Amino acid sequence: MFRIVAWLLAMTFCAAVARQHSGVRAWVWAGIAMLCFVGGARLAYGLFAVGGRVGSLLVCGAVAACLLAVSIGADTGDDRGWTPVGMLSVFAVMATVGGIWLLVRQWTWGDWLAWAAPLVFTAVVSLAVASGSVLHAMYADSLGVTPDDLDVPGIWQATSAVKLLSLLSYALFVPALWGIAKHVHAPFVSPVERLGVPLYVLTQVAVVLVCGLGALDSARKAVEDFRTAAVRKTAPPSYFGVEPEWVCVEPTVPAAKLGSRGGVLKPERPYLSFGEAGGTVSLWDEPAGSALQMPAEQVRLVPAADGRVRCTFSYQRVAKDG
């Protein structure tokens, strides 16, 4: 059954590639897709020793038709359908799930020490570290503030921890391939007990590197989106409970007594605010490209529609107080 599914998925992939081309290349890939279907149908025909062969062929044809319909976007109305890159991602996920299942079926104590222990250890450490919100710390550091300045609710810190742990799944691809190789008795597979310590170290390093790179990429992408929104004066996207918004900053004390850090407040223009945390208001100064902070009791934040408005009311009051 696994081999039948593999043939049908290969057929679907070739059909998707054929759809991306035209002319001779499209016909070549379509021919390969047909050969893959024939391979799957041949296995389906011999799936049962006695009886059921016609039914097996019908089921194989129905599954193939469904896969092709979805791959070309017939069910979703999408003109593009599945892309080859997207399908490779799906195949990688399926191979990981299937390989891990095959590996677990064969695991000995040596396998548990080699594969499960590093992953469990890393997961526990990640959970402990993520309680302080690693993703939020990376996001805040890129913008010149601290996680405490963002005042992220606990539920969103837990959500970011789940995101961080989900990055660990990428490290499962190698042990999944190992499980598939052991299942098919590949000649290059040696008993895993002999490689327990090296596999432990390599897996631990791989998990940490993949998790770290994924976390960095997640925070980097969020910061890029934030900076783009700040330049365009539009509403920035949220990031695990961090909800920056455009505000007009109205000082409640004379300008000379305003204890701002990181720059000078200009009340006539709006700022992106990260909110109030620990008695401090954190703002993003786009022209300066840095964060501006001041005591919360010295200013009043008035929501603004976007970054294009002019905060005349706030400016007039400041001028009057000065």
Side-chain angles (χ1 to χ4, degrees), residues 146-209:
T146 66
D148 294 335
D149 295 328
L150 301 180
D151 193 24
V152 181
I155 183 63
W156 283 108
Q157 291 192 21
T159 303
S160 69
V162 172
K163 169 67 175 180
L164 188 64
L165 290 177
S166 68
L167 299 174
L168 297 175
S169 61
Y170 294 104
L172 297 176
F173 186 67
V174 173
L177 295 181
W178 182 271
I180 295 174
K182 291 189 66 176
H183 180 73
V184 299
H185 303 289
F188 61 86
V189 177
S190 60
V192 73
E193 289 81 1
R194 300 177 185 176
L195 301 175
V197 175
L199 289 177
Y200 185 98
V201 175
L202 290 176
T203 304
Q204 186 78 330
V205 172
V207 168
V208 172
L209 287 178

Side-chain angles (χ1 to χ4, degrees), residues 45-64:
Y45 182 78
L47 187 62
F48 297 95
V50 179
R53 294 181 174 179
V54 176
S56 297
L57 288 177
L58 291 177
V59 172
C60 180
V63 173

Side-chain angles (χ1 to χ4, degrees), residues 2-17:
F2 277 116
R3 290 195 294 269
I4 294 172
V5 172
W7 276 112
L8 295 183
L9 290 178
M11 174 205 69
T12 309
F13 175 78
C14 293
V17 175

Side-chain angles (χ1 to χ4, degrees), residues 22-104:
S22 60
V24 178
R25 290 184 179 181
W27 284 107
V28 170
W29 280 105
I32 298 175
M34 182 60 66
L35 291 177
C36 291
F37 173 75
V38 172
R42 182 174 177 274
L43 288 176
Y45 182 78
L47 187 62
F48 297 95
V50 179
R53 294 181 174 179
V54 176
S56 297
L57 288 177
L58 291 177
V59 172
C60 180
V63 173
C66 290
L67 290 175
L68 289 175
V70 175
S71 69
I72 63 177
D75 291 342
T76 61
D78 187 358
D79 293 336
R80 296 175 299 174
W82 287 355
T83 62
V85 175
M87 293 193 65
L88 288 177
S89 300
V90 173
F91 294 164
V93 172
M94 295 181 65
T96 301
V97 174
I100 292 298
W101 177 69
L102 292 174
L103 186 62
V104 170

Side-chain angles (χ1 to χ4, degrees), residues 86-135:
M87 293 193 65
L88 288 177
S89 300
V90 173
F91 294 164
V93 172
M94 295 181 65
T96 301
V97 174
I100 292 298
W101 177 69
L102 292 174
L103 186 62
V104 170
R105 290 178 58 194
Q106 312 170 64
W107 267 357
T108 63
W109 283 108
D111 296 314
W112 277 99
L113 291 176
W115 294 114
L119 296 179
V120 172
F121 172 79
T122 306
V124 172
V125 173
S126 298
L127 275 176
V129 176
S131 62
S133 187
V134 172
L135 297 182

Side-chain angles (χ1 to χ4, degrees), residues 227 284-291:
R227 290 178 178 270
W284 177 252
D285 189 357
E286 172 53 33
S290 61

Side-chain angles (χ1 to χ4, degrees), residues 116 133 171 187 210 244 283:
S133 187
V210 172
L283 309 170

